[in-house]
Amino acid sequence: MSANASAAQTIPLPSVAGASGSVMLPAGTQAPSGTTLQVTLQTLAAGVVALQSAQRRSSDVGTSNAQLYLVLAPSHTIVLPAFPSFTFTVPPALVLPNESEFLAFYDAAQSGYRTVFGPATAVSGIVTFTGTSSPLTLTGGQTYVFALYGIPAVVAGNPVPAPSSVAFNLTGQSQIVTVSEPNYSGAFTATSSNAAVVGVAAVSGSSFILTAGTSAGSATITVRDSAGRTSLVDAGVTLTFGTVR
């Protein structure tokens, strides 16, 4: 790969089980001269941490395996001004109809995987994720893994939460979420994937109050009807601290 590249660099992915693709390193990526980046694409968690430990959407944790593992192993430290962009060409055998695709990231400095891209939809077998603005450092000699996985998209007849996403910026802020569902008159339950970030409590059988906790971050609120049909509310807390003089 090029050192201190002024232009984006596209690296083709090796083919495996009919899958292929590419990863694009953003312009401004820096690495010592002679740096190599070993890229492996695999369908099984051979030699890497499996996706079951992922910090994923709460309805999906532990229920499905990754479709693909993309393994990056740099020879020297690579500093990226932003996350790479990814394109995966995935055969029908790996992607079920009506699935939303996500990309999770793992490195040894964090506890489990964290989802960094998605949802996305496979179009003619191609899934694309555009790089985020967050910087990324790949330390030489370490192994990093991106895992592509899919979960069933929310379909008609599932609970419909309103609003479907909530953002807080202060501890203790709250928001009422009201849930409805066509041809359903029963009660709903709601649980938070991270109560320290956003807690949830029932107000009635069809409404819940979300409250920002003491920790910044993101949480997924899973709303479920008595038949087990679910929908998700994405919630996040950004806490800003400063000194007033």
Side-chain angles (χ1 to χ4, degrees), residues 51-64:
L51 187 62
Q52 281 84 344
S53 63
Q55 300 167 358
R56 296 181 284 167
R57 297 169 72 99
S58 59
S59 64
D60 186 52
V61 172
T63 64
S64 65

Side-chain angles (χ1 to χ4, degrees), residues 75 126 145 183 234:
S75 63
I126 298 175
V145 185
N183 303 314
D234 293 318

Side-chain angles (χ1 to χ4, degrees), residues 14 21 24 38 40 47 49 90 111-112 116 128 144-145 148 167 174 205 214 216 221 226 231 235 244:
M24 185 175 71
Q38 181 179 340
T40 305
V49 175
V90 187
S111 176
V116 291
T128 302
Y144 300 86
V145 185
L148 177 71
S174 62
T214 57
I221 310 302
S226 61
S231 291
V244 177

Side-chain angles (χ1 to χ4, degrees), residues 2 4 11 20 30-31 47 94 132 143-144 148 151 156 169 177 189 205 226:
S2 301
N4 305 320
I11 301 173
S20 59
Q30 299 183 16
L94 293 181
T132 68
T143 298
Y144 300 86
L148 177 71
I151 63 174
N169 55 28
V177 173
T189 59
S226 61

